[in-house]
Amino acid sequence: MDTLGIIDQAIHEIAHLIKSVSTNRSVQIRTHDEQELIKANVFSWIKGHRTCLQSLSNNEILISVDEKFSQLLEFSDKHTSRSRYKILLKSTKAELIKLRSEAIKIGNIASNKTDNFSNSAPDFSPLVYDKKMKTILTNRWNEITKCLECDAPLAATIMMGGLLEALFLARANRLEDKSPLYKAKAAPVEKNTRKNIPLDKWMLNSFIEVAAELGWIRKPAKDLGTILRDYRNYIHPERELRTGFTLEKEDALMFWQIFNQVSKQIIINANK
């Protein structure tokens, strides 16, 4: 994706977030779902779009945009008023529009050499030896991209969570000695017996927590994975009814960036 396309995507995400924040009438944003969605937008910028705009890194407008996203992250950890969010989000969108104009003015529209937004499936060889399993993982990856292209955001998000879980399990299965997994503080146990839950019964949250504890993924990736896990749970219709939030294409594209970031770390650290 070229520079203008990246900035355009960031503008669309912020515009969608403004719409989402404006639909609820509560004075403050206090719900976990809304706070996580705001964090997802921030991480999408910091870990995704921003890394592809290094050629603009000294631009004053870009610096201003970074500051606004940093402020959004601070807001998301508090019960910030909805009105303050709206003011900051609209200001952020305005700065992004200025940044797009600046990029056009200086002719900075060349394609970026990055795979952060590539739809092509990665090489799973460092993680999985079995050819059939590599084919399955590749097919799942390709199916997610088809869901994104066909405007099926819920299906795409659910599949991202499922594939991420499969990648964690594949990484765990590379260990001949699996005792570090079960000895981890975050390892899940049966409530009554306190015995370890078998690895193939672990939920995505347990994989994320243990992976971070063992150093397979870094803290920022853990936070990103947790956001994706939360929104994967929209597979349950009652959650959508309860929250009044419906996943849209902009959300899924943002989660796609998050998914790419976490998947990349799992694969890179396959031998750690």
Side-chain angles (χ1 to χ4, degrees):
M1 188 182 294
D2 62 28
T3 301
L4 293 183
I6 292 167
I7 299 173
D8 268 336
Q9 179 61 33
I11 292 171
H12 286 312
E13 289 174 7
I14 287 296
H16 181 63
L17 185 57
I18 292 172
K19 177 183 175 183
S20 178
V21 167
S22 300
T23 56
N24 197 305
R25 294 183 179 180
S26 63
V27 176
Q28 295 175 314
I29 291 184
R30 304 172 67 93
T31 66
H32 177 74
D33 284 342
E34 281 194 289
Q35 289 174 332
E36 287 296 285
L37 182 62
I38 291 163
K39 287 181 181 178
N41 274 268
V42 174
F43 286 132
S44 177
W45 171 259
I46 296 173
K47 295 295 180 179
H49 305 313
R50 184 62 177 81
T51 62
C52 301
L53 300 174
Q54 295 305 319
S55 57
L56 294 171
S57 57
N58 293 323
N59 187 280
E60 291 184 3
I61 301 175
L62 182 59
I63 293 172
S64 175
V65 172
D66 287 340
E67 291 174 350
K68 291 183 184 302
F69 273 103
S70 178
Q71 191 173 359
L72 271 175
L73 189 60
E74 290 181 14
F75 278 9
S76 68
D77 284 324
K78 306 172 184 177
H79 294 156
T80 305
S81 69
R82 204 168 292 274
S83 60
R84 290 186 69 189
Y85 269 117
K86 289 179 184 178
I87 292 171
L88 179 56
L89 287 169
K90 288 178 181 179
S91 176
T92 304
K93 181 183 176 183
E95 289 294 280
L96 283 168
I97 291 172
K98 288 181 184 177
L99 183 65
R100 182 177 58 188
S101 298
E102 186 76 4
I104 294 173
K105 184 172 67 177
I106 65 177
N108 197 335
I109 58 175
S111 178
N112 290 272
K113 301 298 183 180
T114 176
D115 62 355
N116 280 0
F117 306 101
S118 173
N119 286 344
S120 301
D123 179 10
F124 293 109
S125 297
L127 194 63
V128 179
Y129 297 131
D130 185 88
K131 290 184 179 180
K132 290 183 178 180
M133 179 54 75
K134 282 192 284 187
T135 299
I136 291 172
L137 295 177
T138 299
N139 289 343
R140 294 294 176 95
W141 187 285
N142 292 336
E143 190 166 335
I144 293 170
T145 64
K146 290 178 182 177
C147 288
L148 292 171
E149 291 166 359
C150 295
D151 198 10
L154 178 59
T157 303
I158 292 168
M159 286 200 68
M160 285 181 225
L163 182 51
L164 189 61
E165 199 170 278
L167 296 181
F168 277 125
L169 181 58
R171 176 63 185 87
N173 283 333
R174 286 181 59 84
L175 296 176
E176 292 185 12
D177 176 15
K178 293 183 173 51
S179 60
L181 291 168
Y182 295 114
K183 290 179 181 178
K185 294 179 180 178
V189 295
E190 297 285 356
K191 289 184 178 180
N192 296 329
T193 63
R194 305 305 296 171
K195 290 183 178 180
N196 290 115
I197 293 176
L199 197 59
D200 60 353
K201 302 295 183 184
W202 284 24
M203 304 297 286
L204 181 55
N205 183 57
S206 296
F207 278 119
I208 292 172
E209 294 290 337
V210 172
E213 192 173 330
L214 297 182
W216 297 351
I217 58 174
R218 297 188 298 275
K219 176 65 166 59
K222 173 180 175 291
D223 294 337
L224 295 173
T226 300
I227 291 170
L228 181 57
R229 176 209 68 195
D230 287 345
Y231 281 90
R232 177 204 186 188
N233 289 336
Y234 273 84
I235 188 175
H236 304 294
E238 63 271 16
R239 180 164 184 176
E240 182 175 338
L241 178 64
R242 173 171 50 83
T243 62
F245 177 78
T246 300
L247 284 171
E248 296 185 13
K249 186 173 183 177
E250 289 83 358
D251 303 310
L253 289 172
M254 181 173 57
F255 297 147
W256 174 244
Q257 296 176 45
I258 291 174
F259 171 74
N260 270 266
Q261 289 284 334
V262 182
S263 299
K264 186 176 180 181
Q265 283 199 25
I266 298 171
I267 295 170
I268 289 175
N269 294 320
N271 297 310
K272 186 170 181 180

